[in-house]
mmCIF file of all heavy atoms in Angstrom:
data_model
loop_
_atom_site.group_PDB
_atom_site.id
_atom_site.type_symbol
_atom_site.label_atom_id
_atom_site.label_comp_id
_atom_site.label_asym_id
_atom_site.label_seq_id
_atom_site.Cartn_x
_atom_site.Cartn_y
_atom_site.Cartn_z
ATOM 1 N N ALA A 2 20.026 -2.976 22.473
ATOM 2 C CA ALA A 2 19.617 -4.430 22.339
ATOM 3 C C ALA A 2 19.189 -4.769 20.962
ATOM 4 O O ALA A 2 19.341 -5.829 20.509
ATOM 5 C CB ALA A 2 18.525 -4.683 23.379
ATOM 6 N N ASP A 3 18.461 -3.805 20.238
ATOM 7 C CA ASP A 3 17.923 -4.068 18.906
ATOM 8 C C ASP A 3 19.163 -4.314 17.983
ATOM 9 O O ASP A 3 19.044 -5.142 17.123
ATOM 10 C CB ASP A 3 17.200 -2.790 18.481
ATOM 11 C CG ASP A 3 15.889 -2.677 19.254
ATOM 12 O OD1 ASP A 3 15.516 -3.645 19.918
ATOM 13 O OD2 ASP A 3 15.278 -1.574 19.175
ATOM 14 N N GLU A 4 20.269 -3.641 18.166
ATOM 15 C CA GLU A 4 21.321 -3.801 17.275
ATOM 16 C C GLU A 4 22.052 -5.153 17.531
ATOM 17 O O GLU A 4 22.495 -5.822 16.575
ATOM 18 C CB GLU A 4 22.399 -2.685 17.521
ATOM 19 C CG GLU A 4 21.877 -1.343 17.100
ATOM 20 C CD GLU A 4 21.476 -1.183 15.575
ATOM 21 O OE1 GLU A 4 22.054 -1.925 14.830
ATOM 22 O OE2 GLU A 4 20.614 -0.389 15.286
ATOM 23 N N GLU A 5 21.990 -5.632 18.754
ATOM 24 C CA GLU A 5 22.557 -6.850 19.145
ATOM 25 C C GLU A 5 21.751 -7.962 18.473
ATOM 26 O O GLU A 5 22.242 -9.128 18.119
ATOM 27 C CB GLU A 5 22.706 -7.093 20.568
ATOM 28 C CG GLU A 5 23.747 -6.052 21.228
ATOM 29 C CD GLU A 5 23.675 -6.173 22.679
ATOM 30 O OE1 GLU A 5 22.931 -7.029 23.242
ATOM 31 O OE2 GLU A 5 24.507 -5.475 23.395
ATOM 32 N N ASP A 6 20.443 -7.752 18.427
ATOM 33 C CA ASP A 6 19.510 -8.870 17.844
ATOM 34 C C ASP A 6 19.811 -9.104 16.429
ATOM 35 O O ASP A 6 19.514 -10.089 15.926
ATOM 36 C CB ASP A 6 18.031 -8.351 17.986
ATOM 37 C CG ASP A 6 17.558 -8.438 19.421
ATOM 38 O OD1 ASP A 6 18.285 -9.117 20.212
ATOM 39 O OD2 ASP A 6 16.552 -7.844 19.757
ATOM 40 N N GLU A 7 20.403 -8.087 15.682
ATOM 41 C CA GLU A 7 20.750 -8.368 14.291
ATOM 42 C C GLU A 7 21.740 -9.473 14.012
ATOM 43 O O GLU A 7 21.812 -10.023 13.036
ATOM 44 C CB GLU A 7 21.208 -7.004 13.694
ATOM 45 C CG GLU A 7 20.296 -5.841 13.750
ATOM 46 C CD GLU A 7 19.117 -6.018 12.817
ATOM 47 O OE1 GLU A 7 19.235 -6.710 11.816
ATOM 48 O OE2 GLU A 7 18.063 -5.394 13.048
ATOM 49 N N GLY A 8 22.559 -9.655 15.105
ATOM 50 C CA GLY A 8 23.637 -10.661 14.917
ATOM 51 C C GLY A 8 23.183 -12.156 14.872
ATOM 52 O O GLY A 8 23.813 -12.957 14.252
ATOM 53 N N GLY A 9 22.079 -12.432 15.555
ATOM 54 C CA GLY A 9 21.674 -13.812 15.567
ATOM 55 C C GLY A 9 21.083 -14.172 16.901
ATOM 56 O O GLY A 9 20.813 -13.243 17.736
ATOM 57 N N PHE A 10 20.934 -15.452 17.158
ATOM 58 C CA PHE A 10 20.212 -15.874 18.334
ATOM 59 C C PHE A 10 21.207 -16.108 19.507
ATOM 60 O O PHE A 10 20.845 -15.985 20.659
ATOM 61 C CB PHE A 10 19.344 -17.136 18.102
ATOM 62 C CG PHE A 10 18.148 -16.848 17.187
ATOM 63 C CD1 PHE A 10 18.298 -17.233 15.873
ATOM 64 C CD2 PHE A 10 17.038 -16.418 17.658
ATOM 65 C CE1 PHE A 10 17.181 -16.996 15.017
ATOM 66 C CE2 PHE A 10 15.967 -16.089 16.825
ATOM 67 C CZ PHE A 10 15.997 -16.441 15.489
ATOM 68 N N GLY A 11 22.395 -16.497 19.194
ATOM 69 C CA GLY A 11 23.331 -16.844 20.211
ATOM 70 C C GLY A 11 24.367 -15.755 20.370
ATOM 71 O O GLY A 11 24.398 -14.695 19.712
ATOM 72 N N GLY A 12 25.360 -16.006 21.299
ATOM 73 C CA GLY A 12 26.360 -15.040 21.508
ATOM 74 C C GLY A 12 27.466 -15.132 20.432
ATOM 75 O O GLY A 12 27.546 -16.152 19.629
ATOM 76 N N LEU A 13 28.377 -14.128 20.386
ATOM 77 C CA LEU A 13 29.379 -14.104 19.335
ATOM 78 C C LEU A 13 30.459 -15.134 19.519
ATOM 79 O O LEU A 13 31.000 -15.749 18.554
ATOM 80 C CB LEU A 13 30.044 -12.738 19.306
ATOM 81 C CG LEU A 13 31.038 -12.353 18.170
ATOM 82 C CD1 LEU A 13 30.268 -12.610 16.857
ATOM 83 C CD2 LEU A 13 31.623 -11.095 18.381
ATOM 84 N N TYR A 14 30.780 -15.565 20.782
ATOM 85 C CA TYR A 14 31.861 -16.423 21.030
ATOM 86 C C TYR A 14 31.304 -17.745 21.789
ATOM 87 O O TYR A 14 31.699 -17.954 22.911
ATOM 88 C CB TYR A 14 33.039 -15.811 21.835
ATOM 89 C CG TYR A 14 33.615 -14.593 21.146
ATOM 90 C CD1 TYR A 14 33.459 -13.268 21.691
ATOM 91 C CD2 TYR A 14 34.239 -14.778 19.944
ATOM 92 C CE1 TYR A 14 34.009 -12.253 21.002
ATOM 93 C CE2 TYR A 14 34.872 -13.673 19.331
ATOM 94 C CZ TYR A 14 34.712 -12.411 19.842
ATOM 95 O OH TYR A 14 35.264 -11.356 19.098
ATOM 96 N N GLU A 15 30.415 -18.302 21.143
ATOM 97 C CA GLU A 15 29.789 -19.526 21.720
ATOM 98 C C GLU A 15 30.183 -20.716 20.874
ATOM 99 O O GLU A 15 30.343 -20.599 19.715
ATOM 100 C CB GLU A 15 28.230 -19.468 21.857
ATOM 101 C CG GLU A 15 27.852 -18.467 22.953
ATOM 102 C CD GLU A 15 26.317 -18.437 23.186
ATOM 103 O OE1 GLU A 15 25.663 -19.172 22.440
ATOM 104 O OE2 GLU A 15 25.877 -17.731 23.998
ATOM 105 N N ASP A 16 30.247 -21.942 21.435
ATOM 106 C CA ASP A 16 30.405 -23.277 20.701
ATOM 107 C C ASP A 16 31.771 -23.178 19.922
ATOM 108 O O ASP A 16 31.772 -23.338 18.710
ATOM 109 C CB ASP A 16 29.280 -23.454 19.747
ATOM 110 C CG ASP A 16 27.924 -23.638 20.489
ATOM 111 O OD1 ASP A 16 27.864 -24.272 21.508
ATOM 112 O OD2 ASP A 16 26.948 -23.130 19.941
ATOM 113 N N GLY A 17 32.764 -22.847 20.609
ATOM 114 C CA GLY A 17 34.138 -22.731 20.054
ATOM 115 C C GLY A 17 35.278 -22.687 21.001
ATOM 116 O O GLY A 17 35.002 -22.825 22.215
ATOM 117 N N HIS A 18 36.525 -22.429 20.538
ATOM 118 C CA HIS A 18 37.665 -22.372 21.400
ATOM 119 C C HIS A 18 38.629 -21.306 20.832
ATOM 120 O O HIS A 18 38.567 -20.958 19.681
ATOM 121 C CB HIS A 18 38.242 -23.723 21.621
ATOM 122 C CG HIS A 18 38.842 -24.334 20.386
ATOM 123 N ND1 HIS A 18 38.024 -24.975 19.422
ATOM 124 C CD2 HIS A 18 40.107 -24.322 19.781
ATOM 125 C CE1 HIS A 18 38.722 -25.433 18.410
ATOM 126 N NE2 HIS A 18 39.961 -24.998 18.559
ATOM 127 N N TRP A 19 39.637 -20.946 21.617
ATOM 128 C CA TRP A 19 40.531 -20.006 21.267
ATOM 129 C C TRP A 19 41.916 -20.716 21.019
ATOM 130 O O TRP A 19 42.322 -21.591 21.744
ATOM 131 C CB TRP A 19 40.756 -18.914 22.305
ATOM 132 C CG TRP A 19 39.527 -18.108 22.573
ATOM 133 C CD1 TRP A 19 38.513 -18.326 23.397
ATOM 134 C CD2 TRP A 19 39.258 -16.797 21.871
ATOM 135 N NE1 TRP A 19 37.553 -17.346 23.349
ATOM 136 C CE2 TRP A 19 38.013 -16.417 22.397
ATOM 137 C CE3 TRP A 19 39.873 -16.133 20.988
ATOM 138 C CZ2 TRP A 19 37.472 -15.259 22.026
ATOM 139 C CZ3 TRP A 19 39.266 -14.909 20.574
ATOM 140 C CH2 TRP A 19 38.066 -14.496 21.103
ATOM 141 N N VAL A 20 42.576 -20.255 19.945
ATOM 142 C CA VAL A 20 43.956 -20.861 19.598
ATOM 143 C C VAL A 20 44.876 -19.593 19.329
ATOM 144 O O VAL A 20 44.459 -18.491 18.950
ATOM 145 C CB VAL A 20 43.876 -21.750 18.414
ATOM 146 C CG1 VAL A 20 42.975 -22.968 18.678
ATOM 147 C CG2 VAL A 20 43.339 -21.054 17.229
ATOM 148 N N TRP A 21 46.210 -19.886 19.456
ATOM 149 C CA TRP A 21 47.236 -18.894 19.229
ATOM 150 C C TRP A 21 47.587 -18.932 17.709
ATOM 151 O O TRP A 21 47.869 -19.988 17.261
ATOM 152 C CB TRP A 21 48.434 -19.069 20.095
ATOM 153 C CG TRP A 21 49.421 -18.074 19.918
ATOM 154 C CD1 TRP A 21 50.573 -18.130 19.040
ATOM 155 C CD2 TRP A 21 49.481 -16.710 20.434
ATOM 156 N NE1 TRP A 21 51.332 -16.892 19.021
ATOM 157 C CE2 TRP A 21 50.634 -16.085 19.955
ATOM 158 C CE3 TRP A 21 48.689 -16.037 21.291
ATOM 159 C CZ2 TRP A 21 50.980 -14.786 20.249
ATOM 160 C CZ3 TRP A 21 49.006 -14.725 21.705
ATOM 161 C CH2 TRP A 21 50.180 -14.155 21.224
ATOM 162 N N ASP A 22 47.468 -17.838 17.007
ATOM 163 C CA ASP A 22 47.918 -17.696 15.670
ATOM 164 C C ASP A 22 49.248 -17.074 15.571
ATOM 165 O O ASP A 22 49.484 -15.981 16.007
ATOM 166 C CB ASP A 22 46.854 -16.758 14.829
ATOM 167 C CG ASP A 22 47.069 -16.852 13.440
ATOM 168 O OD1 ASP A 22 48.106 -17.422 12.989
ATOM 169 O OD2 ASP A 22 46.229 -16.321 12.691
ATOM 170 N N GLU A 23 50.213 -17.884 14.924
ATOM 171 C CA GLU A 23 51.642 -17.432 14.866
ATOM 172 C C GLU A 23 51.736 -16.249 13.909
ATOM 173 O O GLU A 23 52.654 -15.362 14.115
ATOM 174 C CB GLU A 23 52.520 -18.625 14.516
ATOM 175 C CG GLU A 23 52.573 -19.725 15.388
ATOM 176 C CD GLU A 23 53.259 -19.343 16.663
ATOM 177 O OE1 GLU A 23 53.943 -18.332 16.667
ATOM 178 O OE2 GLU A 23 53.062 -20.095 17.682
ATOM 179 N N GLU A 24 51.013 -16.260 12.882
ATOM 180 C CA GLU A 24 51.063 -15.086 11.811
ATOM 181 C C GLU A 24 50.709 -13.755 12.447
ATOM 182 O O GLU A 24 51.362 -12.788 12.224
ATOM 183 C CB GLU A 24 50.361 -15.517 10.620
ATOM 184 C CG GLU A 24 50.821 -16.719 9.881
ATOM 185 C CD GLU A 24 50.041 -16.993 8.516
ATOM 186 O OE1 GLU A 24 49.169 -16.129 8.264
ATOM 187 O OE2 GLU A 24 50.385 -17.959 7.892
ATOM 188 N N THR A 25 49.502 -13.764 13.027
ATOM 189 C CA THR A 25 49.001 -12.525 13.591
ATOM 190 C C THR A 25 49.496 -12.207 14.988
ATOM 191 O O THR A 25 49.426 -11.154 15.520
ATOM 192 C CB THR A 25 47.505 -12.450 13.607
ATOM 193 O OG1 THR A 25 47.035 -13.627 14.465
ATOM 194 C CG2 THR A 25 46.912 -12.706 12.253
ATOM 195 N N GLU A 26 50.124 -13.216 15.623
ATOM 196 C CA GLU A 26 50.634 -13.246 16.944
ATOM 197 C C GLU A 26 49.506 -12.749 17.944
ATOM 198 O O GLU A 26 49.669 -11.847 18.714
ATOM 199 C CB GLU A 26 51.762 -12.293 17.036
ATOM 200 C CG GLU A 26 53.057 -12.792 16.336
ATOM 201 C CD GLU A 26 54.318 -11.826 16.531
ATOM 202 O OE1 GLU A 26 54.099 -10.814 17.100
ATOM 203 O OE2 GLU A 26 55.348 -12.269 16.140
#
Side-chain angles (χ1 to χ4, degrees):
D3 291 346
E4 297 297 332
E5 294 174 359
D6 287 343
E7 297 291 337
F10 293 98
L13 185 60
Y14 301 115
E15 290 185 359
D16 301 319
H18 61 279
W19 295 89
V20 297
W21 181 263
D22 189 352
E23 296 292 344
E24 295 183 1
T25 61
E26 295 184 353

